Amino acid sequence: MNTLSEAILWLNDPLNWTNPGGLLERLSEHLQISFWAVLLGCVIGWPIGIWLGHRGRGGAAVITFSNLTLALPTLALLTILPLTPLGFGKPPVVVALGIFAIPPLLSNAYTGLRSIDPEIKDAAKGMGLSGGQMLRRVELPLAVPYLAAGLRTAAVQVVATTTLATFVNGGGLGEIISAGFGLGISVGGNQIVAGGIFVVLLALAVEGLLALLQRLVTPRPLRAAKRRRPTAAAPAG
């Protein structure tokens, strides 16, 4: 049998799921780390992006910050943060992945508020809405699809990258892959491939669920408008 077939057999073994340190335990750790990291990114990225988008300023700062944050190697952060008072384990992993989640959340929040038609804002002002009322009643509801898109991107990135938590004793599905390498390629190759397949399937599942959520939270008129939007014609010549 080739390695892929052996990996599928490894995944079909119930003991590999239920034993201590098995897939179920590591999956639980993986999801917990990912949840707290994305939540941390939302707590930081969304308020800043919404505030800057509402004010109509700071676009260059948002782009610069997002690019600088994306340029930070996540593995380097995972290596440096355990040397701080955070120590080893899950806290530095959550912080590092939370930083990694901020750019898509921040940029999508800013873009969502800046993409609103100025005529809609003028109409809201004409009705006597204050700045706070306009943000709550007009801008945020219309920006929800963008916020959901940022959440979707950040969550998938974090779920995939949480595998690196094993390098700082943070747990997660990366422990399955790391344990396979510890056994050697000839013995643990099936476990390495099985762990990789499981991470890919988990990322795809998160992508699918959040894509459905994004569609559900998009107001029906916006969905209808998107369907009616004409396709751009190809340039002549």
Side-chain angles (χ1 to χ4, degrees):
M1 291 187 296
N2 57 34
T3 305
L4 181 59
S5 300
E6 292 176 351
I8 294 174
L9 288 176
W10 192 93
L11 288 171
N12 284 328
D13 187 345
L15 293 179
N16 291 328
W17 289 77
T18 57
N19 277 344
L23 279 170
L24 290 179
E25 181 179 333
R26 297 307 181 188
L27 174 62
S28 176
E29 293 175 346
H30 201 99
L31 293 176
Q32 289 178 36
I33 294 170
S34 301
F35 171 80
W36 289 114
V38 173
L39 180 61
L40 177 61
C42 290
V43 169
I44 297 174
W46 273 351
I48 297 175
I50 290 170
W51 180 70
L52 292 176
H54 175 67
R55 289 175 59 86
R57 298 176 183 176
V62 170
I63 294 173
T64 302
F65 176 80
S66 297
N67 290 337
L68 287 175
T69 307
L70 287 174
L72 292 173
T74 307
L75 185 56
L77 285 176
L78 287 171
T79 304
I80 294 171
L81 288 176
L83 303 178
T84 68
L86 290 172
F88 285 82
K90 293 182 176 59
V93 175
V94 170
V95 172
L97 294 175
I99 294 173
F100 183 57
I102 289 175
L105 294 164
L106 173 61
S107 58
N108 275 270
Y110 178 83
T111 302
L113 269 76
R114 295 305 302 153
S115 64
I116 297 173
D117 191 338
E119 293 184 358
I120 296 177
K121 296 181 180 180
D122 292 338
K125 290 179 182 178
M127 296 173 62
L129 268 64
S130 65
Q133 290 173 328
M134 183 185 300
L135 176 62
R136 293 190 302 271
R137 299 182 184 181
V138 178
E139 292 177 318
L140 281 179
L142 292 176
V144 162
Y146 288 87
L147 298 176
L151 176 62
R152 173 181 169 186
T153 303
V156 173
Q157 290 178 349
V158 167
V159 165
T161 311
T162 301
T163 311
L164 299 176
T166 183
F167 288 105
V168 290
N169 195 29
L173 292 170
E175 297 285 349
I176 301 293
I177 300 174
S178 179
F181 277 110
L183 295 172
I185 298 296
S186 58
V187 177
N190 58 342
Q191 182 171 333
I192 296 170
V193 175
I197 291 173
F198 198 81
V199 172
V200 170
L201 293 177
L202 179 61
L204 290 175
V206 171
E207 164 73 15
L209 288 173
L210 292 181
L212 177 61
L213 175 64
Q214 180 181 350
R215 176 173 174 79
L216 292 176
V217 300
T218 301
R220 191 177 297 274
L222 293 182
R223 277 186 265 165
K226 185 176 181 179
R227 287 196 298 268
R228 291 195 300 267
R229 189 177 302 161
T231 303

